Each structure stands twice: as C-alpha cells, then as structure tokens.
Amino acid sequence: MTTGAELVSALAGIVGGRYVLTAGADVATYVTDWKRSSTGTPACVVRPASTAEVADVIKACRKHGAAVVPQGGNTGLAAGAIPDTTGTEVVLSLNRMQAIRSLDPIGMTVEVEAGAILQTVREEAAAAGRMLPIAIAAEGSATIGGVIATNAGGLNVLRYGMTRDLTLGLELVLADGTVASRLRHLRKDNAGYDWKQWFIGSEGTLGIVTAAVMRLVPVPRHTATALLSVSDLDAAIALFELAQQEIGEALSAFELISEQSVELVERHFPIKSPIETGKWSILIEASSSLSGLRDATEAVLAAGFEKGWVVDGVVAESEAQVRQLWALRENVTEAEAKHGSSLKHDISVPLVRMSAFLTDASAAVSAVAPSTGLNLFGHLGDGNLHYNVLTEAGHDAVAINRAVHDAVDRHGGSISAEHGIGRYRVDEWMRIAPEADRHLAETIKTALDPNGLLNPGKVLPAGRHHRGSI
Ligand code: FAD
Ligand code: MLT
Ligand code: ZN
C-alpha cells in the first residue's frame, strides 16, 4: 500500500468511502478555479459532514504529512482553493456542512456552518426581515467559510463594511486538529485577544473555518437606484462627495462602470443600458428603513447636471428597472470571462489619488503592452478598482502585473483590495510588501501552522515550513 492509498483509506474511515473522491471525473469541479487560470492534481477530495470529522481529517493529514487545501464554493478569484500539481495535497471541501444553526432576529445574528451558500443564508435572513449585507455576484455558489476566509467585500461595503465587520464569532479547526470555538452572539466581547481577526482573510492558511456567527441588519424598507454617466473621473469623485453629503449613511453603493465594461456586458448578455453611458458610468444605491431616498437621490442627480458633472442619468422607476441597472454592473465579470483571457488587478488607492493613479497606470501598461484593452470597473466609493487588462497572445503577464502594481504602490494603494493574495498574487505580494509585513506574516504562520500543512503556497510562498509526519 502506498502512503497516498493509506491516507485515502484513513480518510474514508473518518468520513465514509463515498465522501473521499479520487477519480478524475469526480474531482474535476474541485481542481480548476472559476477563472480557469489554475488546475491542480490532488491526492483526493475529502468531504466531511461535521466539525468533529474536519478535526479528524486534519489529524490524519498531519499524521501522513499531507497538506490540506480548504475549499468552499470555488468562486475565489485568486486561485486560493486549488491544489498544486504534485498529487499529494488533500482538498477539504466544506460543501456537506451547510446547516443554518440558528437565527436571532432581535439580536440580529445568524449562526451557520461554513459550507452554507451565501445566497441561502441571505434568503433565510430575508424571510425573518433581516439582511446579511454581503452582496457579491457569486452569492449563488460562494460559501460563508469562503467569504470569511477571503474577507470578501462586494457591492455594499460602503454602508456595511467588509466581511470582517460582519463576523461576530468563529469556530475553527487548527493545524493540529484542535477545535477552537468562540461562537458568541455578542456585539461586545473584549475578553482576551480577538483571535478571530487573524483567521478572517487568511485564505485557509491558518485554520479551517467550520462555523460562524454573522451580524444581520434590518432589511431596508426603501431603496433608490440610479445609473448616470459622468463627464470624467474627477466628476465621478466630486459626485461621490456630494452623494455622501445628501444621502449620508443611507448611501449603500457607489459603483463605477467604464464604457468597455458596458460594451462587454451588452455584447455577451441580452442587457442594454437605458442611458447614454459614455466613458464612465456610476451606479448609485441608497437604502434605509426611513423614506425620502428618492428625493435625496434626485437632488444629487439635479445638482450633478447643474455642475456639468452628470451627462445623462435615470432613477429606477420599478423593481424590474432596478434589476436591469444592477445587471449591467453584476455581469461585468462573467462578460469579461466570456470575452477571453485577462489579467485581474484588484487594487485600492485613496480616492483623492484615483485619477492620478489611472493616468499613471495606463501609461505604464501601454509601455509594456501597447495595444492592450482594459476592463475597468469596481467599487469607486471604497477606492477599489478592478483594473483588468484584456490580454492577447504574446503579452508579457509579469511585466503587465508589475506595471499596474508599481503604479498602485506609488499612489499608496493595495494590490489586493478584496480578492486576496491566493496563489495568483504571491510573487507580487512578496515583491511589494514591506519587510516588516512579510516578517509578521511569517511569524503568525509559523505560530499557527509550524509544519506548513494548511494551504501551502497561498498568501506566502510554499516550502518555507517543514512538512512531515509529527
Ligand atoms: P473558495 O473559492 O472556495 O475559497 C477561497 C479561499 O478561501 C481559498 O483560499 C480557500 O482555501 C479558502 N477557504 C474556503 N473555505 C474555507 C474554509 N471553510 N476555511 C478556511 N479557508 C477556506 N469577491 C469580493 O470580495 N467582492 C466581489 O464583489 C466579488 N464578486 C465576485 C463575482 C464573481 C462572478 C465571482 C466568480 C467571484 C467574486 N468574488 C468577489 C470572489 C469570491 O466570490 C469571493 O472571494 C468568495 O468569498 C469566495 O467564496 P468561496 O466559498 O467560493 O471560496
Ligand atoms: C466585482 O466587483 O464584480 C468582483 O469583485 C468580481 C471581479 O473583480 O471580477
Ligand atoms: Zn469587486
């Protein structure tokens, strides 16, 4: 019996033989990422049904010196949930752990298992008049564990914050198989270190999330949604300042869509913009339990027209039109994938630097890839732009990535605003991160996963930690 076969047999003894997958066809959906940029070859895919089984799986993998790659819905955009090509890593899928354990509409919390689908949790909350305000186009497949592991952002960060801001408690399995549980339904809990923060956004490299307590908010009773085109990016930013003043904390989305993004969506989907979109368009949404949002949104549009910032615009008149406006924004990623290959850059810079960054980055990219197309869109209100370069044969991906990221660095930004480092950005992160950042990351990794068992090669380069049976 080979070591691999012994491990498969040990895992089958924990979860049951039918939940350990080894055949090519069975593992196919677990080994390639959503963007199809990375494909691996695992020793097997294991699908535990409970936290206790996850703990036993980790202990068995540790005993056999096998690395573990946690996976939720496999919608991540940084190739973080994909095994390497050695045939030795175990993909640990949380997709059998989907229970919604409890929902408290008064305390406004929900306790769920890590494999629960985001959309299902949102629907369950909505049925109780509550909202889990994590809004991403991948909600039909993304899981709570994956959203926490990537500290996902999305369309409503402006109002409700990142996933980190909505996570009240975590249950984890650590690298030695210990279960650490702090599933408290509390807004205030200063007892000791708030260790859950180390794991949120750690992309499966420090522990396996098995369950979480998430914060809910009341479902907003009123919303106003508008699409408008602006004269230039500076006008968009001036309009954001105005919208913050007029709409205040009810401003829940301020999204940027470039003309290339509109063109891609209109080409690949039966969707048409109701306005003349021009070089840049903005999707604004206001939402609240209180009324008056439509008036406030129309006031922003009127003032924007008067100042010459807004060129064309519409405030949605019906639920169908709200969906039409959002479809234009939410299908950009799929349209880009249908178009062909691209290099994704998920960057953030201080808003006041956004225009200068764009000029700088465009010049830098043109210098290394003169005829390239861009697909620019994102969460402008958060200073987060998806600066995606549409690539063709012969393009030098390394040079393009460096050109964009060096521009980000020059403007005090981040090379990953919301998607994470995964495997996709490890080299760039190691190139750009300050020495002290890298040292701290290594220190935390060594403390929590001294044998480099958990998701090696993601966030930090592989091979720095000794792996072996203990
Ligand atoms: P996976 O892809 O399975 O895994 C992602 C990472 O988390 C991997 O490193 C994996 O190892 C780790 N992981 C997964 N589950 C666990 C667990 N239980 N314990 C420990 N580690 C785990 N992201 C945004 O931030 N904002 C957006 O607006 C957004 N929009 C998107 C739109 C589309 C169309 C697509 C395809 C993706 C989008 N994403 C967005 C990216 C993606 O949906 C998120 O990163 C999401 O949080 C990933 O969840 P998942 O369950 O699919 O995780
Ligand atoms: C989005 O904002 O739509 C997502 O982050 C997906 C992407 O960047 O493609
Ligand atoms: Zn995004």
Side-chain angles (χ1 to χ4, degrees):
M1 215 185 231
T2 68
T3 310
E6 278 170 16
L7 173 62
V8 167
S9 158
L11 296 176
I14 298 164
V15 301
R18 58 193 285 231
Y19 298 116
V20 184
L21 316 177
T22 51
D26 294 341
V27 304
T29 57
Y30 297 89
V31 298
T32 300
D33 67 326
W34 187 90
K35 199 173 172 292
R36 307 205 159 274
S37 66
S38 188
T39 297
T41 312
C44 63
V45 175
V46 61
R47 303 174 57 220
S50 66
T51 302
E53 285 188 6
V54 173
D56 287 344
V57 164
I58 293 294
K59 284 176 193 159
C61 289
R62 184 169 184 248
K63 188 170 161 208
H64 287 83
V68 176
V69 181
Q71 191 179 99
N74 197 12
T75 67
L77 295 173
I82 301 302
D84 69 12
T85 52
T86 60
T88 61
E89 296 189 342
V90 172
V91 174
L92 192 166
S93 170
L94 281 298
N95 63 8
R96 287 178 67 215
M97 294 178 57
Q98 301 202 2
I100 298 181
R101 292 179 179 168
S102 66
L103 194 150
D104 171 4
I106 298 171
M108 292 199 284
T109 59
V110 62
E111 182 175 326
V112 285
E113 289 185 349
I117 303 293
L118 177 58
Q119 184 177 347
T120 310
V121 182
R122 278 167 59 86
E123 285 170 358
E124 197 78 12
R130 297 291 175 256
M131 179 168 84
L132 175 60
I134 303 172
I136 59 177
E139 68 168 19
S141 304
T143 62
I144 292 295
V147 160
I148 290 170
T150 57
N151 186 27
L155 306 164
N156 291 152
V157 169
L158 196 55
R159 170 84 184 274
Y160 302 105
M162 302 278 281
T163 297
R164 184 182 300 285
D165 301 299
L166 299 162
T167 307
L168 296 177
L170 280 189
E171 178 188 84
L172 292 148
V173 174
L174 303 176
D176 64 358
T178 308
V179 177
S181 181
R182 193 151 163 168
L183 286 171
R184 299 211 179 131
H185 295 241
L186 303 172
R187 295 299 163 101
K188 304 180 84 169
D189 179 9
N190 271 352
Y193 296 130
D194 187 7
W195 52 253
K196 69 177 178 297
Q197 302 299 350
W198 306 338
F199 298 90
I200 301 168
S202 70
E203 303 182 59
T205 62
L206 302 179
I208 314 288
V209 179
T210 49
V213 179
M214 307 302 293
R215 185 161 78 82
L216 304 175
V217 299
V219 172
R221 273 196 243 130
H222 305 276
T223 57
T225 311
L227 180 70
L228 39 106
S229 53
V230 287
S231 49
D232 56 34
L233 197 70
D234 287 327
I237 290 167
L239 196 75
F240 176 60
E241 197 183 359
L242 182 72
Q244 279 183 307
Q245 269 161 26
E246 294 296 319
I247 302 173
E249 67 285 351
L251 186 63
S252 47
F254 196 93
E255 295 286 309
L256 181 76
I257 317 170
S258 66
E259 71 182 333
Q260 300 96 325
S261 305
V262 173
E263 203 265 311
L264 281 172
V265 172
E266 289 184 342
R267 186 167 359 135
H268 293 287
F269 290 93
I271 296 169
K272 184 98 192 76
S273 166
I275 62 164
E276 280 299 318
T277 43
K279 192 161 184 230
W280 298 108
S281 301
I282 301 291
L283 205 163
I284 294 182
E285 192 158 90
S287 56
S288 173
S289 299
L290 305 175
S291 57
L293 302 179
R294 193 180 174 94
D295 288 351
T297 306
E298 282 175 352
V300 171
L301 247 79
F305 272 120
E306 201 172 299
K307 289 183 182 295
W309 299 336
V310 175
V311 177
D312 195 5
V314 63
V315 181
E317 296 283 351
S318 62
E319 198 40 50
Q321 204 174 18
V322 169
R323 281 199 297 276
Q324 182 197 13
L325 300 189
W326 273 111
L328 206 57
R329 167 64 184 86
E330 290 191 304
N331 284 299
V332 177
T333 304
E334 291 239 23
E336 181 185 299
K338 284 175 192 278
H339 168 84
S341 63
S342 63
L343 290 171
K344 280 187 177 291
H345 304 99
D346 165 38
I347 69 97
S348 57
V349 293
L351 255 187
V352 288
R353 308 293 290 270
M354 189 60 88
S355 277
F357 160 76
L358 266 180
T359 309
D360 196 0
S362 300
V365 170
S366 295
V368 292
S371 62
T372 197
L374 297 174
N375 179 30
L376 309 182
F377 64 103
H379 318 284
L380 187 66
D382 309 328
N384 176 192
L385 189 68
H386 299 306
Y387 191 102
N388 297 346
V389 179
L390 306 174
T391 44
E392 290 157 24
H395 274 160
D396 181 346
V398 172
I400 294 173
N401 289 341
R402 287 185 174 196
V404 176
H405 292 155
D406 284 344
V408 169
D409 207 32
R410 283 194 290 278
H411 293 276
S414 167
I415 68 162
S416 176
E418 57 172 14
H419 295 163
I421 299 297
R423 177 189 291 141
Y424 184 53
R425 297 190 177 87
V426 173
D427 291 347
E428 281 295 89
W429 171 233
M430 287 300 105
R431 187 175 72 83
I432 279 182
E435 174 60 32
D437 271 29
R438 279 183 280 144
H439 179 67
L440 266 173
E442 288 280 357
T443 306
I444 293 169
K445 175 74 175 171
T446 305
L448 290 170
D449 181 20
N451 301 100
L453 185 81
L454 298 179
N455 221 358
K458 318 293 167 48
V459 184
L460 293 166
R464 296 206 184 181
H465 301 82
H466 164 74
R467 196 189 313 158
S469 49
I470 303 132

